[in-house]
């Protein structure tokens, strides 16, 4: 495959690989190649200056045989239906790997959220929800945060859905603020989950974690919490980045202080004691563990042979191209694939939904313990399959995710 692929061509190639390995029925393979439902809406809002803003909103529902659709909503310029479809597919496999009773979905609004005021973002979110409300719901499709959306966005989604239904429905969305039914530990869950996988992988690779060096691309929700969790287990975070650039300090940096600096100045760059480097440099930094936690297609055939980490944990969705994947594998670098590494977010989203449905509120300790149990089990299952199949972890994870969904289709049969 050439490097000029889209997220969708990669997702379809991954499905094909899993289908071949599993000797999947060709009809089921075909079913899983298409989303069950794909929605595109025009979101028209009044901007603060009185003008009308028009934005494309997307929601793709891939498959729901194992439970209601589940997946984040991202606000990002130039987002396409194909990209959202690919991400919805990854969600289906991810929920199956985490062994939680959900199918996969993803949403997106084509917008540069940094250019809108908070009021404009609220109107955009509410209007988007109103346009797709009949396809959402706690037993239909449950959104969550993703790039450039957060707990506040989820609160607006919950309120809009509830206002339209006429009663409060906290279980219609996850990643909400704790004050309105959000779970303890949801914000940090994806980052923490990545580090649980790193711990397991390090054990298998005999990599000592005390003072192991970590470089993290992307210092948003996932990247920041992965940095904090890495520090907690004794690793040394030596480089981090955001969309404006990267910083590096071989002696280690304090993520909490970097976040305070970023909140004050709008960038991680120019942080005291660090040197400014580029995002490209960050990926090639000398480190034990590399955590891409920003965008798709960051590790490509152009830089894969320059990656010096021993372990790559894909916190972001789709950060490694298939060619780069092959190159890392040949170099003996262990890669924990996105559908396994970042499934902590959807796992605690599931905990939040269960708490909402049962009107319970679990402590942070309970949530973190349950998360660790789930992540460790998911990692160990995929690792065992990779050993059995003599394959890399991505192939094993895909086989596990696709296999579980295909089995559900077989058991349910086709109606009518
Ligand atoms: P976020 O918006 O909180 O943070 C994204 C970070 O990436 C920001 O620091 C931003 O500055 C940086 N960034 C953007 N473009 C960049 C570029 N070109 N180079 C370097 N950095 C860049 O988003 P997030 O929620 O942390 O999500 C990050 C990734 O993790 C995404 O791929 C998302 O799909 C994935 N993910 C998120 C969750 C979750 O629970 N939030 C769950 C699973 C997967």
């Amino acid at each position: 495959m050439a490097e000029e692929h889209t997220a969708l061509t990669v997702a379809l190639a991954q499905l094909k690989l899993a289908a071949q390995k599993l000797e999947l029925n060709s009809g089921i393979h075909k079913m899983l190649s298409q989303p069950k439902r794909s929605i595109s809406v025009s979101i028209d809002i009044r901007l603060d200056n009185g003008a009308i803003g028009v934005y494309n909103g997307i929601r793709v529902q891939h498959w729901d045989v194992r439970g209601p659709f589940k997946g984040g909503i991202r606000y990002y310029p130039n987002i396409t239906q194909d990209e959202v479809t690919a991400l919805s597919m990854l969600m289906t496999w991810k929920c199956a790997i985490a062994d939680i009773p959900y199918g996969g979905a993803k949403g997106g609004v084509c917008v540069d959220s940094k250019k809108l005021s908070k009021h404009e973002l609220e109107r955009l979110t509410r209007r988007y929800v109103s346009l797709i409300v009949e396809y959402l719901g706690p037993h239909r499709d449950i959104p969550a945060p993703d790039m450039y959306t957060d707990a506040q966005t989820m609160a607006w989604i919950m309120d809009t859905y509830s206002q339209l239904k006429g009663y409060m429905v906290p279980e219609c969305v996850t990643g909400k603020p704790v004050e309105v039914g959000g779970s303890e530990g949801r914000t940090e869950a994806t980052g923490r989950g990545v580090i649980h996988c790193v711990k397991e992988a390090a054990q298998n690779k005999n990599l000592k974690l005390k003072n192991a060096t970590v470089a993290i691309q992307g210092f948003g929700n996932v990247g920041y919490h992965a940095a904090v969790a890495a520090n907690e287990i004794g690793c040394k975070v030596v480089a981090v980045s955001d969309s404006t650039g990267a910083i590096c300090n071989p002696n280690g940096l304090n993520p909490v202080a970097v976040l305070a600096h970023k909140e004050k100045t709008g960038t991680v760059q120019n942080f005291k004691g660090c040197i400014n480097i580029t995002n490209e440099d960050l990926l090639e930094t000398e480190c034990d563990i590399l955590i891409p936690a920003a965008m798709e297609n960051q590790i490509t055939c152009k830089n894969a042979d320059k990656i010096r980490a021993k372990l790559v944990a894909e916190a972001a969705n789709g950060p490694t191209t298939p060619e780069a994947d092959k190159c890392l594998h040949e170099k003996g670098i262990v890669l924990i694939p996105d559908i396994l590494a970042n499934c902590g977010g959807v796992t605690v989203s599931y905990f939040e939904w269960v708490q909402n449905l049962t009107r319970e509120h679990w402590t942070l300790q309970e949530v973190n313990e349950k998360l660790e149990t789930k992540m460790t089990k998911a990692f160990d299952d995929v690792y065992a399959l990779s050993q059995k199949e003599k394959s890399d972890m991505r192939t094993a994870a895909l086989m596990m995710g696709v296999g579980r969904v295909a089995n559900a289709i077989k058991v349910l049969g086709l109606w009518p």
Side-chain angles (χ1 to χ4, degrees):
M1 191 194 290
E3 276 260 313
E4 295 88 37
H5 34 237
T6 64
L8 187 56
T9 56
V10 173
L12 289 171
Q14 290 178 342
L15 171 61
K16 191 171 168 193
L17 172 70
Q20 279 165 352
K21 291 259 181 197
L22 293 163
E23 298 180 13
L24 203 65
N25 171 292
S26 64
I28 293 181
H29 178 191
K30 211 166 165 185
M31 283 167 76
L32 293 174
S33 308
Q34 310 255 16
K36 200 165 170 185
R37 186 176 291 118
S38 198
I39 308 160
S40 172
V41 292
S42 176
I43 309 169
D44 314 324
I45 59 157
R46 183 73 62 193
L47 299 173
D48 291 346
N49 66 6
I52 293 173
V54 178
Y55 304 92
N56 180 224
I58 300 164
R59 184 75 181 166
V60 177
Q61 299 174 328
H62 180 239
W63 270 92
D64 62 347
V65 275
R66 287 175 45 92
F69 298 108
K70 184 91 189 81
I73 292 176
R74 60 169 61 174
Y75 288 173
Y76 208 73
N78 309 324
I79 197 157
T80 65
Q81 197 89 20
D82 273 10
E83 184 183 340
V84 179
T85 302
L87 291 165
S88 73
M89 224 182 245
L90 293 186
M91 280 307 296
T92 309
W93 318 143
K94 196 181 296 182
C95 292
I97 292 165
D99 206 11
I100 51 179
Y102 287 139
K106 201 79 178 188
V109 177
C110 201
V111 61
D112 185 348
S113 60
K114 288 182 190 161
K115 293 198 174 136
L116 295 194
S117 70
K118 191 170 176 190
H119 284 122
E120 287 168 335
L121 280 173
E122 177 174 356
R123 288 197 287 278
L124 179 93
T125 305
R126 290 183 182 278
R127 181 87 177 197
Y128 171 53
V129 172
S130 76
L131 289 161
I132 58 172
V133 70
E134 65 192 289
Y135 301 105
L136 301 179
H139 301 289
R140 262 185 209 149
D141 183 352
I142 310 136
D146 198 83
M147 288 189 76
Y148 296 105
T149 57
D150 56 16
Q152 176 61 77
T153 323
M154 300 307 115
W156 292 329
I157 293 177
M158 171 183 156
D159 190 59
T160 309
Y161 183 89
S162 301
Q163 295 303 327
L164 292 170
K165 291 288 161 191
Y167 54 95
M168 294 315 282
V169 192
E171 57 272 28
C172 75
V173 69
T174 60
K176 305 175 286 290
V178 172
E179 298 90 308
V180 290
S183 178
E184 305 291 340
R186 171 60 185 90
T187 311
E188 51 272 49
T190 309
R192 287 190 81 83
V194 171
I195 301 303
H196 287 313
C197 285
V198 165
K199 261 194 310 196
E200 293 299 300
Q203 214 171 22
N204 296 333
K205 205 176 156 60
N206 281 330
L207 174 68
K208 255 186 46 216
L209 286 174
K210 183 102 190 96
N211 287 327
T213 50
V214 183
I216 303 178
Q217 186 196 41
F219 202 62
N221 176 290
V222 179
Y224 168 71
H225 288 291
V228 171
N231 256 4
E232 271 173 28
I233 60 166
C235 296
K236 200 161 66 173
V237 179
V238 292
V240 297
S241 74
D242 62 17
S243 59
T244 64
I247 51 171
C248 174
N249 181 347
N251 297 319
L253 48 85
N254 176 350
V256 180
V258 175
L259 182 66
H261 168 79
K262 181 175 162 68
E263 278 171 352
K264 208 158 100 194
T265 64
T267 170
V268 294
Q269 288 216 303
N270 308 315
F271 181 68
K272 211 169 135 220
C274 288
I275 52 162
N276 287 339
I277 57 171
T278 64
N279 259 297
E280 291 74 33
D281 296 335
L282 177 135
L283 296 171
E284 297 163 18
T285 299
E286 171 128 35
C287 62
D288 295 309
I289 301 157
L290 174 64
I291 304 182
M295 300 286 299
E296 295 89 2
N297 297 336
Q298 297 302 299
I299 306 176
T300 67
C301 63
K302 292 203 184 90
N303 59 5
D305 63 338
K306 297 187 202 131
I307 303 287
R308 292 191 275 172
K310 300 183 180 84
L311 192 67
V312 174
E314 291 187 326
N317 286 312
T320 314
T321 65
E323 290 79 2
D325 225 353
K326 208 164 151 241
C327 177
L328 297 183
H329 188 59
E330 281 164 9
K331 279 170 61 129
I333 298 174
V334 173
L335 182 141
I336 311 170
D338 46 9
I339 46 177
L340 170 64
N342 69 31
C343 74
V346 73
T347 300
V348 175
S349 271
Y350 162 64
F351 296 161
E352 180 174 329
W353 181 71
V354 171
Q355 290 171 77
N356 294 156
L357 288 169
T358 55
R359 300 295 185 257
E360 282 190 24
H361 190 78
W362 304 345
T363 63
L364 179 60
Q365 193 185 343
E366 261 177 293
V367 171
N368 282 342
E369 281 170 10
K370 284 181 203 287
L371 172 66
E372 182 162 10
T373 306
K374 276 272 186 203
M375 291 302 302
T376 307
K377 170 90 170 67
F379 184 96
D380 292 349
D381 285 354
V382 172
Y383 184 74
L385 188 60
S386 77
Q387 296 292 298
K388 185 170 156 239
E389 293 289 326
K390 298 191 177 19
S391 75
D392 58 274
M393 296 267 287
R394 193 188 308 281
T395 306
L398 285 164
M399 286 176 72
M400 179 151 296
V402 173
R404 285 181 177 166
V405 177
N407 283 342
I409 293 179
K410 279 187 219 153
V411 173
L412 288 172
L414 273 184
W415 184 88

